[in-house]
Amino acid sequence: MGLFMTLEDASAEEAALLREGVLPEAAPGEAAEGRLRVFDLHCDTLDRLAFHGDPSVPGGFAAHDARIPAARMSSLADNDAHVSLERTAGYAWCQCFAAFVPDEARGDAAWALFERVRRVWERELERCGDKLARARSMADVDAALAAGKTAGLFTVEGASFLEDDAAAEGRLDALAEAGVRMVTLTWNGRNALGSGNETADGLTGFGRSCVRELELRGIAVDVSHLNDAGFKDVCATATRPFAASHSNARAVCGHPRNLADWQLRELADAGGVAGLNFCCDFLSDTHADPTPDDVLRHVDRVLEAAGEDVLALGSDYDGCDVPSWLDPCDQAGGLHALIASRFGEAVAGKAFFGNARAFFERLEGQV
């Protein structure tokens, strides 16, 4: 039996609210000056801004966003994406902004895409300095939130720009210099480091060496998108805590992008975290628009398999379709209230902020 009240256990009134996506008002939670603290380990908003209207980018958003005017996809301050600073301003919000590099691009071409996204990141930091602050450390996060700003960490999803060649070391150094705090080793397919969840091979020798090199630079290794063999290889190679920035519980939804119970336990043992992913396909095998109860089942499973210190948020905003009641990002407060009502305020506070912050603090303590 789960730890939370399911639709079957709820009163008729509670069940009706859950089915309709009507959530209780947000509890105070962990707050800064009355604002709910949120630490989201993954979104793709920078890519949507960087590549808007450019059909040449493989795996880009040109077709998806074709009807959105360029002016509405030109800034983090205010846009028609899931995440904007206007929406995060009501919270004490720390956002990991990923530079997503698709499988189709490798080597120099992939690095050029990363550089395009990095330039947008730097541009937005300058433009939005009154609302957004770069964070390289948890002290930076604390300072940004105390100043009423959104804290932004720069991350990478898909390291296909790293090849076993003379450019690799320089690019690893460049990631550190750019303030990258976490790198997802693969996307869904193969690259020089290893294999994603649509393939069967594990990490390559070069991939294992990159795990060590990322650790030496204080950059977190992210196992989301890896297949099971690659995950095992990271477990055998990593000497520091690693994360699954945006992956759910496979026991609840059988998608290979989700984590089996043994993987959740390995994350717990390693001092890592698993970010709850809002992607509809990863939340439910049956509901096109997953319900609050669907999400709570993942929360329950992660807590049961790995304990209270592993669950975090990894929304995948702007990288997927999310449940209607979580769209856009300023709806996240309702999820906090829902988790708090079922599991308690302490668990909700850890999932929404505390566990992700503690994960990065552990990394900082080992550099």
Side-chain angles (χ1 to χ4, degrees):
M1 184 174 180
L3 300 175
F4 67 93
M5 182 182 296
T6 66
L7 288 175
E8 291 78 11
D9 301 322
S11 68
E13 181 180 359
E14 288 172 324
L17 291 174
L18 285 173
R19 288 191 186 96
E20 294 169 9
V22 179
L23 308 178
E25 291 184 5
E30 285 188 70
E33 299 178 352
R35 295 176 300 147
L36 178 68
R37 290 181 184 265
V38 180
F39 199 135
D40 181 12
L41 292 170
H42 185 80
C43 78
D44 289 292
T45 313
L46 290 179
D47 272 63
R48 286 187 76 182
L49 300 182
F51 303 136
H52 181 72
D54 185 354
S56 71
V57 178
F61 298 92
H64 182 276
D65 292 341
R67 296 186 179 182
I68 302 178
R72 295 298 304 159
M73 294 297 285
S74 63
S75 175
L76 280 177
D78 182 26
N79 55 54
D80 286 348
H82 287 147
V83 176
S84 71
L85 301 179
E86 181 180 37
R87 298 189 185 99
T88 60
Y91 299 83
W93 194 296
C94 178
Q95 182 66 56
C96 291
F97 288 100
F100 164 59
V101 180
D103 286 334
E104 294 88 344
R106 298 285 293 269
D108 291 346
W111 187 250
L113 293 178
F114 166 77
E115 282 289 294
R116 284 179 64 179
V117 180
R118 184 191 62 79
R119 287 193 293 271
V120 169
W121 170 235
E122 295 294 338
R123 182 194 75 195
E124 293 305 299
L125 284 167
E126 184 174 351
R127 282 182 177 178
C128 307
D130 59 332
K131 302 179 181 69
L132 174 69
R134 185 202 311 271
R136 296 175 183 260
S137 68
M138 293 306 97
D140 292 341
V141 170
D142 295 342
L145 300 187
K149 299 181 181 182
T150 294
L153 279 70
F154 193 33
T155 66
V156 169
E157 180 180 28
S160 59
F161 47 70
L162 292 174
E163 300 274 0
D164 191 2
D165 58 21
E169 185 173 0
R171 286 176 179 169
L172 286 162
D173 289 341
L175 294 178
E177 290 167 8
V180 169
R181 301 300 295 117
M182 182 164 57
V183 170
T184 313
L185 300 178
T186 70
W187 198 50
N188 294 330
R190 288 184 177 86
N191 63 24
L193 286 76
S195 296
N197 67 95
E198 293 179 351
T199 61
D201 300 325
L203 293 185
T204 63
F206 175 66
R208 289 190 289 272
S209 70
C210 283
V211 167
R212 292 186 287 268
E213 291 297 326
L214 289 167
E215 289 183 332
L216 287 172
R217 290 164 174 81
I219 299 173
V221 172
D222 183 359
V223 296
S224 282
H225 286 280
L226 278 180
N227 58 30
D228 291 1
F231 187 103
K232 289 178 181 178
D233 287 340
V234 171
C235 291
T237 305
T239 61
R240 295 176 181 171
F242 56 91
S245 67
H246 55 305
S247 297
N248 294 335
R250 197 181 299 172
V252 176
C253 177
H255 199 288
R257 271 282 285 104
N258 290 336
L259 299 171
D261 287 354
W262 68 266
Q263 293 172 304
L264 292 168
R265 289 191 290 268
E266 289 284 358
L267 281 169
D269 291 344
V273 286
L276 182 67
N277 191 323
F278 298 169
C279 176
C280 292
D281 290 342
F282 306 155
L283 286 170
S284 175
D285 293 317
T286 57
H287 297 141
D289 188 9
T291 67
D293 200 39
D294 288 325
V295 177
L296 284 178
R297 292 181 190 279
H298 287 277
V299 173
D300 184 36
R301 190 67 181 204
V302 175
L303 293 175
E304 182 178 351
E308 295 182 1
D309 297 331
V310 170
L311 181 67
L313 298 181
S315 70
D316 212 357
Y317 276 134
D318 290 310
C320 63
D321 292 325
V322 304
S324 57
W325 55 279
L326 288 171
D327 184 1
C329 74
D330 56 5
Q331 299 301 308
L335 177 60
H336 177 276
L338 189 69
I339 294 174
S341 72
R342 294 297 184 264
F343 301 100
E345 187 67 35
V347 169
K350 284 185 171 185
F352 258 65
F353 191 85
N355 287 342
R357 189 187 187 285
F359 167 73
F360 280 107
E361 274 198 322
R362 286 191 287 274
L363 285 177
E364 291 174 17
Q366 295 184 26
V367 175

